[in-house]
Amino acid sequence: MEDGLTLKNANFIAIDFETATASTRQACQIGIVVVKAGDIVERICRLIQPPGNRYFHKCIEVHGITPQKTANEPTFDVVWKDIKEYFVGNFVVAHNAAFDLDVLHRALDFYNIPAPVMMGEACTYQLTGMSLEEACKTYDIHLCEHHDGLCDAEACARLYLKYLNGEVSYVEHTRERKPICESSEESKEKQDISHSFIFRKQIKGDLLKQDLSSANPDNPFYDKKVVITGVFSVERLELAEHLQKLGAKLSSSISRHTDIVIIGNEPGPSKMKLLKELKEKGFDIAEIFEAELMDILSKY
């Protein structure tokens, strides 16, 4: 099939949410890029006042959006009236779509708004196996300001168009993670040497043995079957040890018996696919992202 013919059939929206809170994932910004017949025809960027205009400081550190910037902005229910038409009956693309679509549905649920019927969805992370920054560098896509909703949405749209055009393939990467005590200068030096490698230490052995002897039964991980996937700002083994001490029963694979999936950056595509399938079948598996996880762990 000729490339032009493939892209002439490309009609979708690419979205990106930025969130004000970790535990409830309330939106504070949305970027939408509209693609018709393979061309970007419209760009929408809206700031959103989260409920109570409350923010988690770690979220502000990521995107730079503050309560002052959204104090006079409309809440999601008002913004939705303007953007609903882009979602209904459309195909939606996002980088880490599980997160962005979860943010959307949480906002809709908060304001008791019915969910739109969409044509389908695609995740450019699952298609590439890379972070958005890495994918943009690899496929020569301009990423003007990472963690700005519109910039990330446009980069995602261009990445998906390249995928449709046969220019993108899934790549399994490995990279060294920075130890907690390592300085930023040391980390930068190592990244310059091996920027295309991501290292995931496997959770195995004694870490897979549940220990309830000294765990607080009131914490949300007590006696829960937990799977960790992705790369985190702390060492995975350190994270696993903390969860084990809280009484979690760690597992290396997702199943219908899983209670919680801890999701970092660049989660395993096969795990995310299975998680989605199980949730669609009605299995109640909670998803916890890193910012939310750190917020919870700080209390125990």
Side-chain angles (χ1 to χ4, degrees):
M1 182 180 291
E2 295 181 3
D3 294 344
L5 183 58
T6 301
L7 295 183
K8 281 181 182 177
N9 296 322
N11 299 290
F12 62 89
I13 62 169
I15 66 169
D16 182 79
F17 276 105
E18 300 300 325
T19 56
T21 57
S23 58
T24 57
R25 300 178 207 155
Q26 293 295 334
C28 61
Q29 185 189 44
I30 184 172
I32 304 172
V33 171
V34 182
V35 176
K36 291 185 178 179
D39 291 324
I40 293 175
V41 298
E42 191 175 358
R43 298 170 177 84
I44 303 98
C45 187
R46 297 290 301 270
L47 287 174
I48 302 167
Q49 184 182 132
N53 205 28
R54 292 187 297 272
Y55 280 76
F56 178 49
H57 68 95
K58 290 291 185 183
C59 295
I60 295 174
E61 290 174 8
V62 170
H63 50 58
I65 301 171
T66 64
Q68 291 74 26
K69 290 182 179 180
T70 56
N72 297 314
E73 297 295 333
T75 51
F76 178 83
D77 54 326
V78 177
V79 173
W80 181 247
K81 293 176 182 178
D82 296 332
I83 65 174
K84 175 183 177 180
E85 63 179 287
Y86 297 103
F87 288 84
V88 175
N90 213 338
F91 192 86
V92 180
V93 182
H95 201 82
N96 195 358
F99 175 82
D100 289 284
L101 292 175
D102 184 60
V103 173
L104 172 64
H105 287 292
R106 283 174 182 250
L108 293 169
D109 289 346
F110 186 88
Y111 291 102
N112 295 312
I113 300 171
V117 177
M118 298 180 288
M119 184 182 295
E121 64 189 60
C123 175
T124 48
Y125 169 68
Q126 290 195 20
L127 295 173
T128 63
M130 302 182 199
S131 70
L132 188 59
E133 283 184 296
E134 288 175 317
C136 287
K137 289 176 183 177
T138 300
Y139 296 108
D140 194 26
I141 295 170
H142 179 57
L143 181 59
C144 56
E145 187 179 348
H146 192 27
H147 295 304
D148 172 82
L150 184 57
C151 291
D152 286 1
E154 180 162 347
C156 176
R158 295 190 182 280
L159 183 60
Y160 192 61
L161 285 170
K162 283 182 177 282
Y163 166 76
L164 293 176
N165 207 30
E167 301 174 51
V168 172
S169 58
Y170 179 80
V171 179
E172 186 76 44
H173 286 284
T174 55
R175 176 192 314 147
E176 260 184 69
R177 294 301 295 166
K178 169 179 138 181
I180 294 173
C181 60
E182 183 175 84
S183 71
S184 57
E185 291 78 15
E186 291 171 327
S187 176
K188 184 177 185 303
E189 248 183 279
K190 290 183 178 179
Q191 287 175 8
D192 289 340
I193 296 170
S194 59
H195 66 278
S196 63
F197 293 90
I198 297 182
F199 182 60
R200 293 175 170 86
K201 288 187 178 179
Q202 187 177 1
I203 297 169
K204 56 185 180 179
D206 289 342
L207 286 174
L208 298 179
K209 297 178 181 178
Q210 187 178 26
D211 181 8
L212 299 175
S213 59
S214 58
N216 177 357
D218 294 327
N219 83 76
F221 301 105
Y222 185 84
D223 203 21
K224 299 294 184 183
K225 295 180 180 178
V226 177
V227 174
I228 299 173
T229 181
V231 181
F232 298 83
S233 59
V234 298
E235 290 289 341
R236 279 164 58 95
L237 297 188
E238 180 181 334
L239 180 58
E241 287 175 2
H242 195 152
L243 291 169
Q244 185 187 46
K245 289 177 181 177
L246 291 175
K249 185 175 183 180
L250 298 171
S251 175
S252 58
S253 59
I254 295 173
S255 74
R256 63 184 64 191
H257 303 295
T258 301
D259 296 303
I260 300 170
V261 178
I262 306 295
I263 304 171
N265 290 321
E266 305 164 24
S270 58
K271 281 189 172 69
M272 296 304 292
K273 181 181 178 182
L274 179 56
L275 174 61
K276 179 184 174 184
E277 291 172 352
L278 289 171
K279 293 189 74 168
E280 287 176 347
K281 290 178 180 177
F283 291 97
D284 186 17
I285 304 174
E287 300 173 44
I288 299 180
F289 292 83
E290 182 173 8
E292 180 182 358
L293 175 67
M294 296 309 170
D295 191 23
I296 295 172
L297 293 183
S298 68
K299 300 172 185 175
Y300 298 97

